[in-house]
Amino acid sequence: MLAAPDKFRGSASAPEVAAAIAAAAEGAGWTCVQLPLADGGEGTLDAFGGANRTTRVTGPLGTPVDAPWRMGDDGVAVVESARASGLDLAGGADGNDPVRATSRGTGELVAAALAEGARRVIVSLGGSATTDGGFDTVEVLEAHGPFDGRDGRPEVLVACDVRTTFSDAAIVFGPQKGASPQQVVELTGRLDRLASLYRQRYGIDLAEVPGSGAAGGLGGAFAALGARLVPGFGLIAEHTTLSDAVRSADAVVTGEGKLDAESFNGKVVGGVLELARVHGVPSLVVAGAVEEQVAAPATAVSLLDSFGPEAAWGDPLGCIERATTRWLRKEVTRP
């Protein structure tokens, strides 16, 4: 059996969810492979095996933070912008200063990876406190680029799960980061000026680059430096050989905090279920909540509906284990 879930935001990480699924499988007499996943935002580091490095960098509000990242034996490094420039590090929307917040720490993490000899750096965008258009990251990394992997140069792949363009970053994401309406206008003006600067300096029109507004324009800054912006789930699925894992499984369990229409738009659950359908493998979705209008192409269990709010929030991992056990015993024949 394969456990291939996303995180349950706010209650459980993807590795914790995968472990709960595996405990149910083993209790029912199955062997389970754990493959925690992400779609290019928070949790990407876990999907690649977790951190094995820590570097002190500039936090989102200037205070130093110890940011974990990963360096592989294959020369592939994985950096999460949320670990260096994340909104949680700034104290959430209420504690953030959306105008002052800086992406410099993300640039410093990439620079640390390059200093260790990384030939490819995967940068996940999501959960950032910043709307600085990535300018502070550009200041750190400009001398190291371009990051196109040509002529022996390092390659940077930016995993993002949004298509927002550069100048819309403040309008779309600013309020989530604590920006007032007046600050959204101010930040949008700054992004417009940076777009012009990047066009003059690097010859790139960020209005034509989907995802360039990710992480407050950090996606666009990396694009200006020659990096490629790619759908996060596809990148992670490729590096974790997810398709082979699904093909080899007799059953697959995936999950996330909330199953809704967006779950099937480049996200983990939709991607896993599609692979299970292609390979004819029975599948289960375990979610904290399931929107009523969603018609999942598999059995879907809502923890809230099945176990009640107190248990679903108080013991989500126990509920996930019980839901998986029930499905295996009632609906799947063990090989």
Side-chain angles (χ1 to χ4, degrees):
M1 192 181 108
L2 176 66
D6 198 350
K7 63 186 174 296
F8 279 46
R9 188 184 298 276
S11 59
S13 68
E16 290 172 335
V17 176
I21 294 167
E26 291 160 6
W30 291 67
T31 299
C32 186
V33 174
Q34 298 181 45
L35 194 64
L37 296 171
D39 54 25
E42 297 154 281
T44 296
L45 193 59
D46 289 334
F48 281 90
N52 57 12
R53 300 283 194 281
T54 301
T55 298
R56 180 157 289 190
V57 299
T58 305
L61 298 183
T63 304
V65 299
D66 293 323
W69 58 285
R70 183 173 185 81
M71 182 70 182
D73 295 336
D74 56 359
V76 177
V78 182
V79 167
E80 267 193 33
S81 64
R83 305 295 186 105
S85 312
L87 186 60
D88 287 346
L89 297 174
D94 292 338
N96 192 29
D97 183 337
V99 174
R100 185 166 65 90
T102 174
S103 64
R104 179 171 294 274
T106 298
E108 291 168 345
L109 273 192
V110 174
L114 296 173
E116 284 212 24
R119 302 310 307 160
R120 169 180 281 188
V121 182
I122 294 170
V123 183
S124 75
L125 303 184
S128 79
T130 64
T131 315
D132 68 346
F135 182 72
D136 292 340
T137 284
V138 169
E139 281 197 328
V140 172
L141 293 177
E142 188 172 30
H144 298 276
F147 298 119
D148 54 13
R150 299 175 183 172
D151 301 322
R153 293 188 292 259
E155 178 184 38
V156 173
L157 298 178
V158 179
C160 58
D161 61 355
V162 301
R163 295 183 61 80
T164 304
T165 50
F166 192 78
S167 293
D168 288 335
I171 295 169
V172 175
F173 303 119
Q176 302 171 14
K177 302 177 185 187
S180 67
Q182 181 178 350
Q183 287 174 323
V184 168
V185 173
E186 178 183 351
L187 292 168
T188 298
R190 184 167 71 183
L191 289 168
D192 288 339
R193 292 190 295 274
L194 283 173
S196 178
L197 174 66
Y198 292 155
R199 185 167 51 251
Q200 294 170 12
R201 186 179 295 180
Y202 304 108
I204 187 170
D205 182 1
L206 293 177
E208 302 296 325
V209 182
S212 57
L218 183 55
F222 276 113
L225 293 174
R228 281 197 295 134
L229 275 56
V230 297
F233 174 73
L235 177 65
I236 293 167
E238 176 187 347
H239 275 265
T240 58
T241 62
L242 175 62
S243 183
D244 291 341
V246 173
R247 183 187 299 110
S248 301
D250 295 298
V252 175
V253 180
T254 186
E256 63 179 340
K258 182 179 181 181
L259 186 70
D260 56 22
E262 282 300 302
S263 302
F264 304 93
N265 185 21
K267 304 293 186 178
V268 168
V269 167
V272 171
L273 292 181
E274 175 60 17
L275 287 171
R277 184 194 65 78
V278 168
H279 296 302
V281 180
S283 54
L284 168 70
V285 181
V286 182
V290 178
E291 282 197 351
E292 290 183 6
Q293 63 269 34
V294 171
T299 301
V301 174
S302 162
L303 302 187
L304 283 173
D305 292 343
S306 298
F307 303 102
E310 184 175 349
W313 283 106
D315 183 25
L317 297 176
C319 293
I320 291 166
E321 185 174 344
R322 280 184 281 165
T324 303
T325 298
R326 290 177 184 175
W327 180 71
L328 289 173
R329 289 180 174 169
K330 291 182 178 180
E331 299 190 36
V332 184
T333 301
R334 185 164 63 89

